[in-house]
Amino acid sequence: MSENTGAQKGSKVPTVLPIIPLRNEVLFPHQFMPITVAREKSLKLLEDVQDDSRVAILTQMDSNVENPTFSDLYKIGTVAKIMRTIDMPDGSKTILIQGQYRIKLITFLEDKPYFKAMFEPIYDEYAESSRIDAFMVNLRKLFKQSVELSSDITYEQLVMVSNIKEPGMLADMVISFSSLTIKEKQEVLDTIDVEDRLKKANILINKRLQTLELGEKIQSDIQSKMNKMQRDMYLREQLKAIQKELGEDSENTEINELREKIEKAEMPKDVKEIADKELKRLTQMHPSSAEFTVARTYLDWLIDLPWSKSTQDNLDVDKVQQQLDNDHYNLEKVKKRILEYIAVRKLKNDMKGPILCFVGPPGVGKTSLGRSIANAMGRKFIRMSLGGIRDEAEIRGHRRTYIGALPGRIIQGIKKIGSNNPVFMLDEIDKLGYDFRGDPSSALLEVLDPEQNFTFSDHYLEVPFDLSKVMFIATANMSEPIPAPLKDRMEVIEIPSYVEEDKLNIAKEYLIPKQIQEHGLTTEQIQFDDEALKLIIRSYTREAGVRNMEREIAAVCRGVATEIARGAVDKKHVDEALVTEYLGPIRFFAETSERIRTSGIAVGLAWTPVGGDILFIESSKMTGKGQLKLTGKLGDVMKESAQAALSYIRANATEFGVDDDIQEKYDIHIHVPAGAIPKDGPSAGVTLFTSLLSLLTDTKVRDDVAMTGEITLRGAVLPVGGIKEKVLAANRAGIKNIILPARNEKDLVEIPEKIRKQMKFYFVEQMSDVTKHVFAKKTSRSN
């Protein structure tokens, strides 16, 4: 084979050339191209050169750059000969250039008044081979096929490509004539080796050809479908005309079926009129039109809704009570309210469904209670979780003008259940959100208002639907986040925390049988001691509900099941020792007496969303200038209570036996442990006062007493909320003496009698009364 330098021959000595940056196009050798020059630097260049002069053409990497620098240009370009220059009316110039040969940038020289750089010429050099010949034949074939599918390539360009003999020139011309991206064209220009350039050109043109063939197929399919639609429409019109001549019914079977369903749906009169009107519109639409599908779907929703379908209520009060007792332990308030509704329904058949809201800590059985109520009453049950919902359309639906519109989840649930009087549970109503899409809580105002929900209008249906027969039950962990207008429409029933006795009975009657069954055991294979259950309740869980207790019981059952499966034992009697073996070390301790070893520490009672809890308040003093420091992530109200307590002690220093100059000698630091948890509220006032007085008088607080109450600067103790949860928390912690505001004595009726008998309550009206019950014998303070 012989060496061939192609059509381009010349010296490879570097040469200096001015540069015209080119955007949105790549110039190849031998290619003619008109370009418009409007940039100031390029215009200055054209003033300094004449026609037939040579310039370097480099393509910009980013066509959006208005004033490129050297770094914005590709390093491989083309020497171009300026064939002709034409001045344009707007001050720009149009030049016709012809590519000569490739050049490679060596170094930039200057950028003013225009770009100049030193370049090395690049000429095509190749050895003739069968591979090159094959690449050339295939490239011509692909280009010819592209011409047949694309209107961008002319017949003259095809003839020109067919007559090119040089392989490098063939690749350049084919790529320059094809509609490729700037990056793809530049990749070919950058390819110096002729065989590699031909190969890359074959790949790019083949890819382009596949795109053109796919586009042609899509266009053909669309055209075929359009022709079929027109043919079908023409035939349907002919069919209608034939049926009319024969005197036959022109409506098809589908329309007749819809008409029959509308008659059987027992819709209200006004709703039926709208359905008939929509059906009439449907008969005038073409079945393949988008509006036909929308109208048909709307009619299906109207037909499928249970306008007059109800379940028969179980009005036997005793049976309902028995069913509720079988499903849930205690919860007397809720059961009493349901039984009252059943009794009134028995006397007055058209009574509207109640709208209840169960508020209580997690794990006390709010959600499962809703299902139990539905089973007891013989009604169907729907649960809708409202947690995190931020879109009003979730409640009221989307209007039919939107593509894919559907009714809201209220109507969807009613349709799915097939009854217009179900028990509808709105779970986690306190966790509703709102944003730019609307406020779901506002949409619920109509749903949960007995004076409005009998004509509830969903945005999709736009006809009234009667929700007055539905028993709505909402659940929440806290009532405070619920908007006031929404809360006003519901009857709030608080479900309290469980006491130890409740948890013990729930475990024995409900949780243990359930876990024994779920783990494939029998009551003969595993039995629990009461003391073992009490150990789980006291030392492995500390919660208001029973969710974690059930998990711990399940863990014990798994341990027993493992031993039985291995054949190690036939049965197990679970006692305290076995609980510790399966569940590991004890997690919670009654640490009150251990933590109150010195003066300055007092035990308070706090309310939390998951029930009550105890908290320790620690005070310390050090030499200083009377500053009061508060730590433990306290809120403003709690900080102000500490200030008020200290001010009251200083104002009555003589009465309490506190040095008058305490403010001048010492700094006081108050800390509430569990510093990662935010704490706030006025009910810690009495505890803060006790902690400070204990510190300043060096008197230890009793370790068996806890307290709560708001204080004033005049020494009054004001009532606070959450008494039941706080007392139960003290009981769980083993504290039997409680100091409460006198005006909270009435709240003790909510505490189980058994708990009340175990504890001693001190009711105080003044802060001076607190001191009579909280202090132990005076002891030396050790630091």
Side-chain angles (χ1 to χ4, degrees):
M1 289 188 294
S2 62
E3 290 291 328
N4 193 340
T5 61
Q8 299 171 329
K9 297 180 181 180
S11 172
K12 290 194 175 184
V13 177
T15 182
V16 176
L17 292 171
I19 301 171
I20 296 180
L22 189 63
R23 53 180 171 182
N24 297 320
E25 194 51 80
V26 175
L27 179 69
F28 285 85
H30 309 289
Q31 181 184 1
F32 285 85
M33 180 185 293
I35 60 173
T36 300
V37 178
R39 289 173 176 158
E40 185 178 346
K41 287 185 177 182
S42 299
L43 290 172
K44 179 63 178 173
L45 186 155
L46 294 178
E47 291 177 1
D48 293 348
V49 299
Q50 304 293 326
D51 289 348
D52 294 332
S53 297
R54 285 173 172 76
V55 295
I57 303 296
L58 298 181
T59 301
Q60 289 181 208
M61 297 179 184
D62 184 357
S63 62
N64 295 320
V65 177
E66 187 62 36
N67 295 305
T69 62
F70 290 136
S71 60
D72 295 322
L73 304 176
Y74 286 106
K75 302 302 182 286
I76 300 293
T78 304
V79 169
K81 179 180 180 181
I82 300 177
M83 308 297 293
R84 187 178 179 186
T85 303
I86 303 172
D87 294 327
M88 305 304 289
D90 59 356
S92 63
K93 295 178 183 291
T94 297
I95 59 174
L96 178 64
I97 57 176
Q98 181 189 14
Q100 302 286 306
Y101 52 88
R102 283 174 172 76
I103 48 174
K104 180 179 180 182
L105 188 145
I106 298 176
T107 181
F108 286 108
L109 299 177
E110 60 188 57
D111 61 356
K112 293 182 180 180
Y114 43 81
F115 295 120
K116 275 188 179 181
M118 182 174 290
F119 295 90
E120 176 187 343
I122 301 173
Y123 301 104
D124 287 350
E125 295 181 358
Y126 63 93
E128 294 180 351
S129 68
S130 58
R131 283 178 58 83
I132 289 179
D133 293 337
F135 278 136
M136 292 177 68
V137 170
N138 192 60
L139 186 57
R140 289 191 183 98
K141 178 182 176 182
L142 293 174
F143 187 74
K144 182 178 180 181
Q145 292 174 352
S146 298
V147 172
E148 295 171 357
L149 296 174
S150 175
S151 59
D152 297 333
I153 305 172
T154 65
Y155 178 76
E156 289 76 15
Q157 291 172 334
L158 175 61
V159 173
M160 183 184 300
V161 167
S162 301
N163 294 325
I164 295 175
K165 305 301 181 184
E166 295 294 331
M169 182 179 175
L170 176 65
D172 290 343
M173 287 297 98
V174 168
I175 295 300
S176 68
F177 293 154
S178 301
S179 298
L180 302 175
T181 65
I182 298 301
K183 185 178 179 182
E184 290 171 337
K185 288 186 176 183
Q186 184 66 40
E187 286 176 2
V188 174
L189 187 67
D190 290 347
T191 306
I192 306 303
D193 184 82
V194 172
E195 184 175 332
D196 289 343
R197 194 188 312 164
L198 278 168
K199 182 178 179 181
K200 184 164 293 187
N202 270 274
I203 293 172
L204 291 174
I205 297 303
N206 190 41
K207 178 181 174 184
R208 172 65 179 165
L209 181 60
Q210 290 177 2
T211 304
L212 291 172
E213 288 174 346
L214 182 59
E216 183 73 8
K217 184 177 183 301
I218 292 172
Q219 182 63 29
S220 176
D221 291 344
I222 293 173
Q223 188 63 39
S224 175
K225 187 176 290 186
M226 289 293 295
N227 292 337
K228 185 178 184 303
M229 288 174 60
Q230 292 172 354
R231 177 178 174 275
D232 290 350
M233 187 180 296
Y234 175 76
L235 291 175
R236 284 195 183 92
E237 291 299 324
Q238 284 187 325
L239 181 61
K240 285 182 180 180
I242 293 170
Q243 288 175 337
K244 186 176 181 181
E245 289 295 326
L246 294 174
E248 296 178 355
D249 188 3
S250 62
E251 296 179 357
N252 57 33
T253 306
E254 185 179 10
I255 299 297
N256 289 330
E257 288 178 355
L258 287 173
R259 181 173 287 105
E260 290 176 8
K261 289 180 179 179
I262 291 172
E263 294 296 331
K264 293 178 181 179
E266 299 181 21
M267 302 176 184
K269 183 179 178 181
D270 53 344
V271 177
K272 186 175 182 301
E273 289 176 357
I274 292 175
D276 290 337
K277 183 179 178 182
E278 195 70 21
L279 183 62
K280 186 177 179 181
R281 287 183 61 243
L282 193 68
T283 60
Q284 299 170 356
M285 296 179 189
H286 194 279
S288 61
S289 67
E291 286 189 9
F292 183 91
T293 305
V294 173
R296 173 61 198 266
T297 304
Y298 176 68
L299 279 174
D300 285 341
W301 274 99
L302 289 180
I303 291 168
D304 292 341
L305 282 174
W307 298 98
S308 56
K309 295 178 183 177
S310 303
T311 53
Q312 187 69 35
D313 282 349
N314 178 14
L315 300 180
D316 189 322
V317 178
D318 292 333
K319 285 187 178 180
V320 171
Q321 182 170 8
Q322 183 180 359
Q323 178 73 38
L324 292 175
D325 289 339
N326 289 340
D327 291 344
H328 286 82
Y329 179 82
N330 204 341
L331 303 179
E332 297 302 328
K333 271 189 180 181
V334 181
K335 293 177 182 178
K336 179 174 177 287
R337 180 64 184 87
I338 299 304
L339 294 176
E340 288 172 351
Y341 171 71
I342 296 294
V344 176
R345 272 278 287 115
K346 193 171 184 178
L347 302 176
K348 190 175 186 295
N349 191 43
D350 60 346
M351 182 185 180
K352 294 179 179 179
I355 297 173
L356 309 177
C357 180
F358 298 159
V359 177
V364 295
K366 299 184 296 295
T367 304
S368 61
L369 185 57
R371 191 179 298 276
S372 176
I373 290 170
N375 293 335
M377 295 180 63
R379 293 192 177 192
K380 295 184 178 181
F381 179 75
I382 312 170
R383 176 184 167 273
M384 173 182 173
S385 178
L386 298 177
I389 286 182
R390 295 175 175 272
D391 190 354
E392 178 201 2
E394 293 278 351
I395 307 298
R396 301 183 67 99
H398 292 90
R399 300 194 183 278
R400 279 179 289 155
T401 51
Y402 295 104
I403 296 174
L406 284 173
R409 291 171 65 180
I410 300 289
I411 293 296
Q412 287 186 38
I414 297 289
K415 177 199 170 188
K416 182 179 179 181
I417 214 69
S419 169
N420 64 5
N421 67 336
V423 174
F424 204 123
M425 174 154 282
L426 302 170
D427 217 3
E428 310 291 356
I429 198 171
D430 58 329
K431 296 172 182 63
L432 277 172
Y434 66 91
D435 58 15
F436 64 92
R437 292 169 290 186
D439 184 359
S441 63
S442 298
L444 282 173
L445 294 178
E446 181 184 1
V447 175
L448 300 181
D449 190 341
E451 302 302 322
Q452 299 180 40
N453 66 6
F454 66 92
T455 57
F456 172 71
S457 179
D458 186 275
H459 285 160
Y460 180 83
L461 297 180
E462 293 182 330
V463 294
F465 187 87
D466 186 2
L467 295 177
S468 63
K469 297 178 182 178
V470 179
M471 176 184 281
F472 285 102
I473 300 177
T475 69
N477 295 130
M478 296 181 289
S479 59
E480 287 75 11
I482 304 174
L486 189 58
K487 190 192 303 183
D488 183 60
R489 284 162 165 77
M490 300 185 291
E491 181 180 342
V492 177
I493 300 177
E494 293 191 0
I495 299 181
S497 308
Y498 290 123
V499 298
E500 183 177 298
E501 181 184 4
D502 293 339
K503 292 182 178 181
L504 185 62
N505 286 316
I506 291 170
K508 290 163 67 175
E509 295 181 22
Y510 302 98
L511 303 184
I512 291 176
K514 176 185 175 184
Q515 291 303 323
I516 287 176
Q517 182 180 359
E518 288 187 357
H519 289 84
L521 301 171
T522 65
T523 53
E524 295 178 355
Q525 292 175 315
I526 181 171
Q527 294 178 346
F528 284 80
D529 273 350
D530 284 1
E531 294 304 318
L533 291 174
K534 288 179 181 178
L535 180 65
I536 293 175
I537 295 169
R538 295 170 183 169
S539 303
Y540 289 92
T541 64
R542 185 164 288 179
E543 58 179 340
V546 294
R547 202 168 278 156
N548 288 322
M549 182 174 69
E550 184 175 9
R551 293 192 186 103
E552 301 303 332
I553 291 173
V556 173
C557 290
R558 288 195 299 273
V560 173
T562 302
E563 293 193 30
I564 292 176
R566 287 176 173 172
V569 295
D570 294 328
K571 60 182 180 178
K572 276 279 188 178
H573 190 84
V574 180
D575 55 14
E576 291 177 277
L578 208 58
V579 168
T580 306
E581 178 184 338
Y582 286 132
L583 300 185
I586 290 174
R587 297 168 198 163
F588 302 104
F589 299 88
E591 55 184 352
T592 312
S593 59
E594 298 174 4
R595 291 185 63 167
I596 303 182
R597 294 181 176 177
T598 63
S599 60
I601 304 175
V603 182
L605 297 173
W607 178 93
T608 72
V610 294
D613 202 357
I614 64 170
L615 55 84
F616 293 87
I617 294 182
E618 304 173 349
S619 300
S620 183
K621 64 181 180 180
M622 64 285 301
T623 304
K625 298 181 181 179
Q627 292 183 354
L628 175 62
K629 186 175 183 180
L630 300 159
T631 57
K633 208 167 186 181
L634 309 183
D636 291 339
V637 176
M638 199 166 178
K639 291 178 180 178
E640 291 167 0
S641 295
Q643 293 280 2
L646 182 59
S647 297
Y648 179 74
I649 293 173
R650 290 180 59 200
N652 299 273
T654 304
E655 178 185 345
F656 293 126
V658 177
D659 293 340
D660 292 335
D661 58 351
I662 188 74
Q663 189 75 5
E664 300 174 1
K665 291 182 178 180
Y666 300 103
D667 289 344
I668 296 176
H669 185 175
I670 298 176
H671 178 68
V672 183
I677 303 172
K679 311 167 192 72
D680 203 3
S683 64
V686 168
T687 317
L688 289 162
F689 162 74
T690 303
S691 175
L692 285 169
L693 189 59
S694 168
L695 172 74
L696 298 177
T697 59
D698 197 20
T699 306
K700 181 183 172 185
V701 177
R702 290 168 54 187
D703 58 18
D704 62 346
V705 64
M707 62 209 75
T708 185
E710 183 180 356
I711 61 173
T712 70
L713 276 177
R714 297 296 180 182
V717 179
L718 303 182
V720 294
I723 294 300
K724 180 177 182 179
E725 286 78 8
K726 293 175 180 178
V727 171
L728 294 181
N731 179 263
R732 287 198 298 270
I735 300 174
K736 302 302 181 182
N737 297 280
I738 307 294
I739 295 175
L740 297 174
R743 287 162 62 184
N744 280 122
E745 185 174 2
K746 59 181 175 56
D747 297 315
L748 294 186
V749 296
E750 298 181 359
I751 299 169
E753 184 178 355
K754 185 175 181 179
I755 301 295
R756 291 205 305 268
K757 289 181 179 179
Q758 295 174 359
M759 310 185 78
K760 189 172 183 180
F761 298 95
Y762 303 95
F763 300 100
V764 296
E765 294 183 348
Q766 297 291 323
M767 287 155 73
S768 56
D769 298 335
V770 176
T771 61
K772 301 174 185 177
H773 309 293
V774 295
F775 291 120
K777 293 181 180 180
K778 190 168 183 179
T779 182
S780 299
R781 178 179 173 85
S782 58
N783 285 320

